[in-house]
Amino acid sequence: MAATNKQAEIEAAAIRLFRQKGYHATSMQDIADAVGLQKGSLYHYISSKDDLLVSIMHAALSKYNSRLSEIRSMDLPVRERLELAVRAHLRGIADNLGMLTIFLRESYALSPQHKEIIGSESSRYNQMFEDLFREGVASGEIRDLDPKLATRTMLGACNWFYRWYNPEGRLGIDQLADFFVDLLFKGVETRS
Amino acid sequence: MAATNKQAEIEAAAIRLFRQKGYHATSMQDIADAVGLQKGSLYHYISSKDDLLVSIMHAALSKYNSRLSEIRSMDLPVRERLELAVRAHLRGIADNLGMLTIFLRESYALSPQHKEIIGSESSRYNQMFEDLFREGVASGEIRDLDPKLATRTMLGACNWFYRWYNPEGRLGIDQLADFFVDLLFKGVETRS
Amino acid sequence: MAATNKQAEIEAAAIRLFRQKGYHATSMQDIADAVGLQKGSLYHYISSKDDLLVSIMHAALSKYNSRLSEIRSMDLPVRERLELAVRAHLRGIADNLGMLTIFLRESYALSPQHKEIIGSESSRYNQMFEDLFREGVASGEIRDLDPKLATRTMLGACNWFYRWYNPEGRLGIDQLADFFVDLLFKGVETRS
Amino acid sequence: MAATNKQAEIEAAAIRLFRQKGYHATSMQDIADAVGLQKGSLYHYISSKDDLLVSIMHAALSKYNSRLSEIRSMDLPVRERLELAVRAHLRGIADNLGMLTIFLRESYALSPQHKEIIGSESSRYNQMFEDLFREGVASGEIRDLDPKLATRTMLGACNWFYRWYNPEGRLGIDQLADFFVDLLFKGVETRS
DNA sequence: TATGAATGAGAGTTCATTCAT
DNA sequence: AATGAATGAACTCTCATTCAT
């Protein structure tokens, strides 16, 4: 995964720094230092700090969208596809903790135009998840809950994951995903 | 709601602006304009922008902590107390959307010392919730799930709420709380 | 020496603070804190920070001038009067270390008008010293050195004293004055 | 003296302005105006106003220290070396009136860390002078006076020089140095 | 006499971005 | 492709002073 590509190197450095220090607290100088360029030189590869943020988020989202799209069209019972969607969501956060942290935390820092672009990509994802949920309700495998609210609640629970997930923690990502699926699908209360 | 108290007025303006534009994107000038003072004059009432952020968060958290503490010690079955805790959490976000948004979104912008202070207040809350969960497991009313993970997941789902809650939306806060409780307690899948 | 007089109390606090932290680094708030008033209230007693500085310097200088004037007209051999002048100069610094430090160190911070006022009082002092020296040369008790230069050199040596004098030091002010007189009157080299 | 080196140009402007108006009364804007830059642009060359002050003082002191070190180890009678030390000290002030004025006048404005650094360089100088004096006492060429006090007195007399030396004055630096040496070595009183 | 809210100018510093080389 | 000097606006914060109460 050698950095043949300066642009990618810059992006990688930005992801690391934005995650560590936050978008606003990271200066172009910090990024330049990290890749061994002068800060003026960065502008041969990127057009602005804001664009850098957007393209990181975009990359994160397009991976997400395509993965969810695949899952949706798998030849499996919908309950299992919904489960896979939750697992993939969590694994996506774990695998790209930097990018996802930035997406989930710094979205509000985007300029209005960019906010719209990213917002619509993000809505697509939510919409796909919601559709899957709706499909589950239709098939009877999933309880008849409001699909929009359910989507928000389930994804909210999953999104918060970036705040405490520790790659070096006791439990691996698969075990954590098992836990989330168990809790979200069966609930916390004892069945009578 | 007359401005008898300038300090409170400043804090209110800060909450509104921090929520709208984010902490970093809000300048002291913005706040000064909002309350009709020169920016230098703000410093009669606050000691720094950072302190302003902290005191907003502190106010949010101390309300939260005391409410949860009350609920924990109520004379009710633990399952109902846990349910109340979820409802109170959501209602707390809805009632203080500004303060809570700032707390949930801008925590990472705090200085290390402040991060520690706010972090420990926040941990107390999580700990109380976790204890309640543990109590439920002990009594058999709640399934035997890892209490720490369950707390993170449930509160994560609830915290995400600030991102989409709209006070003028179709559903009131009580109905939304009903929904969360239903989903988190019973799960999404159909019981066989 | 109870503070029956607020003005004097303010001046005393200013002397202490200006000496400790310097004129520019001392704020009106610092002074107000030291005397237990609000900073706005200071302006009932003084007209400006600059004036405060000037009146401190003025007080220092008028003491100095009157003392030197007395010495000059004493009925003693001129050599002894010159010696007394040196001793009085040093004792004046030791006794009013605060005021003198401020005068010697912060003169350049004065506004042009004030600089002129203080400058002329200060010149009067130097002139008196120079006249005394000239008298000594005329009487033959003092070597025929340029009186203006000699005055500058001798007073320079004495003025630097404020930089290192320590009231709690090993040697008392009289012993130190003995030393200065010895060095300045007899020189450092061994007489052949 | 073309402006090949902006850093040096900034330092020169700072020396001039700090001397004229004092450190505190000189703003970064003043310096920027003097060198024809925006004030923000100064920070390409310096790291802070405080650092600028320190590096000016440091430059002054290291010249001084190396010159005195040379003199000390010359192959001359100690009385002559001490005399040379006085002459070099005065010439140093005359040649670098700006830098030395700033060092002698603004030392107390330094931050504690910087004060320590500059203070120790300054002590080294005083120590070398004192050692030379001590050597003179040992050889019998110099009277048996307390070397520490004698150093303070002699250097005090010389340091005050910056307050009144005028490069365009009647007497040149060599003549003035002759005067100082005469006064300090032989004293002011007539030998009986 | 004393307050304390308010001013308004200005401080030093940071920073994303540009552009001639 | 890369530099690095320069910009210029914005930033948080300080401070001596004023004045209605």
Side-chain angles (χ1 to χ4, degrees), chain A residues 128-145:
Chain A
M128 281 196 283
F129 196 96
E130 192 182 319
D131 290 346
L132 199 50
F133 194 93
R134 215 178 286 274
E135 206 182 322
V137 173
S139 82
E141 289 162 83
I142 297 297
R143 286 170 59 211
D144 185 12
L145 298 166

Side-chain angles (χ1 to χ4, degrees), chain C residues 76-87:
Chain C
L76 286 171
V78 62
R79 194 239 175 251
E80 280 173 56
R81 277 181 285 141
L82 192 61
E83 189 181 320
L84 275 180
V86 168
R87 288 181 190 278

Side-chain angles (χ1 to χ4, degrees), chain A residues 67-86:
Chain A
R67 217 173 313 168
L68 185 52
S69 182
E70 274 177 44
I71 289 170
R72 254 186 80 198
S73 55
M74 278 177 166
D75 187 20
L76 286 172
V78 62
R79 195 240 175 251
E80 278 173 59
R81 278 180 285 141
L82 192 62
E83 187 180 320
L84 275 180
V86 167

Side-chain angles (χ1 to χ4, degrees), chain C residues 101-158:
Chain C
T101 296
I102 292 161
F103 165 62
L104 293 168
R105 192 178 61 192
E106 315 272 11
S107 288
Y108 81 99
L110 292 168
S111 66
Q113 309 99 292
H114 284 148
K115 204 173 276 182
E116 204 171 353
I117 296 168
I118 294 298
S120 81
E121 288 190 80
S122 172
S123 294
R124 248 191 74 214
Y125 185 86
N126 283 24
Q127 193 57 53
M128 282 194 284
F129 196 97
E130 192 182 319
D131 290 346
L132 198 52
F133 194 94
R134 214 178 288 274
E135 207 183 319
V137 172
S139 81
E141 290 162 82
I142 297 297
R143 288 170 58 210
D144 185 12
L145 297 166
D146 179 309
K148 190 176 262 7
L149 285 180
T151 295
R152 280 169 169 166
T153 307
M154 292 176 81
L155 291 182
C158 293

Side-chain angles (χ1 to χ4, degrees), chain D residues 84-113:
Chain D
L84 275 179
V86 168
R87 289 180 188 279
H89 193 97
L90 293 167
R91 204 173 294 118
I93 290 174
D95 290 350
N96 290 95
L97 199 48
M99 278 191 336
L100 266 294
T101 296
I102 292 160
F103 165 62
L104 293 169
R105 194 178 59 192
E106 314 272 12
S107 288
Y108 82 99
L110 291 168
S111 67
Q113 309 100 294

Side-chain angles (χ1 to χ4, degrees), chain A residues 18-25 79 82 103-109 115 133 136 140-147 149-160 162-164 170-171 175-176 179-180 182-192, chain B residues 18-25 79 82 103-108 115 133 136 140-160 162-164 170-171 175-176 179-180 182-192:
Chain A
F18 288 171
R19 174 161 179 252
Q20 265 168 34
K21 319 174 50 167
Y23 175 72
H24 284 105
R79 195 240 175 251
L82 192 62
F103 165 61
L104 293 168
R105 193 177 61 191
E106 314 271 13
S107 288
Y108 81 99
K115 203 173 276 182
F133 194 93
E141 289 162 83
I142 297 297
R143 286 170 59 211
D144 185 12
L145 298 166
D146 181 308
L149 285 180
T151 295
R152 281 170 169 166
T153 308
M154 292 176 82
L155 292 182
C158 293
N159 284 340
W160 208 253
Y162 87 85
R163 290 250 195 163
W164 54 266
R170 181 173 53 90
L171 297 174
Q175 290 169 287
L176 291 166
F179 181 87
F180 270 84
D182 186 27
L183 192 153
L184 292 172
F185 280 65
K186 296 198 188 332
V188 298
E189 77 178 7
T190 309
R191 301 195 175 197
S192 50
Chain B
F18 288 171
R19 173 157 181 254
Q20 265 168 33
K21 317 173 52 164
Y23 175 72
H24 285 107
R79 194 238 176 252
L82 193 61
F103 166 61
L104 293 168
R105 193 177 60 191
E106 314 274 10
S107 287
Y108 82 100
K115 204 174 275 183
F133 194 95
E141 290 161 83
I142 299 296
R143 286 170 60 210
D144 186 13
L145 298 165
D146 181 310
K148 194 177 259 7
L149 284 181
T151 295
R152 282 169 167 165
T153 307
M154 293 175 80
L155 291 182
C158 294
N159 284 339
W160 207 254
Y162 86 84
R163 290 248 195 167
W164 54 266
R170 183 172 51 91
L171 297 175
Q175 291 169 287
L176 291 166
F179 181 87
F180 271 84
D182 186 27
L183 191 153
L184 292 172
F185 280 65
K186 297 198 187 334
V188 299
E189 80 180 3
T190 309
R191 298 191 175 200
S192 51

